[in-house]
Amino acid sequence: MDVMCRKYSCKYNDKAKCDRKNLSVGKKADCVDLDVDKDKVVEDVSRDMFMHEPDIAPFHHCKTMNIMCDSAECIFNREGECFSNGIFVGSEIKCAPCNSFVPR
């Protein structure tokens, strides 16, 4: 399981990878464990984002990460646990939606 995350201000975000051991997705398909660190320095790539690739951590298959999901409408939810090969968490102003959500 690989968890990509674009919520760079979260204290568990390490170069677009989630560094948590357990992750919870809520009923509205958003990251419940989002913990924004206001002191975290977030690189601004908006000026030259088409000039070079952003610094992203390499793929790491985390066999020990548990992703619990309350969104019963998602096709990857089996008895409250996510069985996707990997998930992508987006970045919105007040939340971090699970963009891998696929309705049944």
Side-chain angles (χ1 to χ4, degrees):
M1 170 80 61
D2 194 37
V3 180
M4 293 278 306
C5 181
R6 297 203 52 200
K7 196 69 175 183
Y8 295 109
S9 58
C10 181
K11 76 177 190 177
Y12 299 106
N13 189 312
D14 179 28
K15 298 178 185 172
K17 300 290 183 190
C18 184
D19 211 14
R20 289 187 60 92
K21 294 287 182 200
N22 298 302
L23 185 67
S24 297
V25 176
K27 290 183 181 184
K28 295 182 180 179
D30 56 342
C31 178
V32 176
D33 298 316
L34 177 67
D35 193 358
V36 174
D37 181 0
K38 294 182 181 180
D39 297 326
K40 186 174 182 179
V41 177
V42 179
E43 182 183 359
D44 180 16
V45 296
S46 61
R47 275 188 277 142
D48 57 355
M49 64 191 217
F50 297 109
M51 305 297 271
H52 65 84
E53 224 176 290
D55 191 18
I56 296 177
F59 173 84
H60 60 278
H61 184 73
C62 186
K63 295 179 181 179
T64 60
M65 182 179 230
N66 295 324
I67 299 178
M68 305 312 293
C69 182
D70 289 336
S71 183
E73 296 84 30
C74 185
I75 197 169
F76 299 117
N77 184 333
R78 292 188 197 146
E79 298 177 7
E81 193 172 346
C82 181
F83 279 89
S84 174
N85 289 334
I87 67 171
F88 182 80
V89 178
S91 178
E92 292 185 8
I93 293 173
K94 294 187 179 184
C95 65
C98 176
N99 291 339
S100 301
F101 171 81
V102 177
R104 291 185 191 271

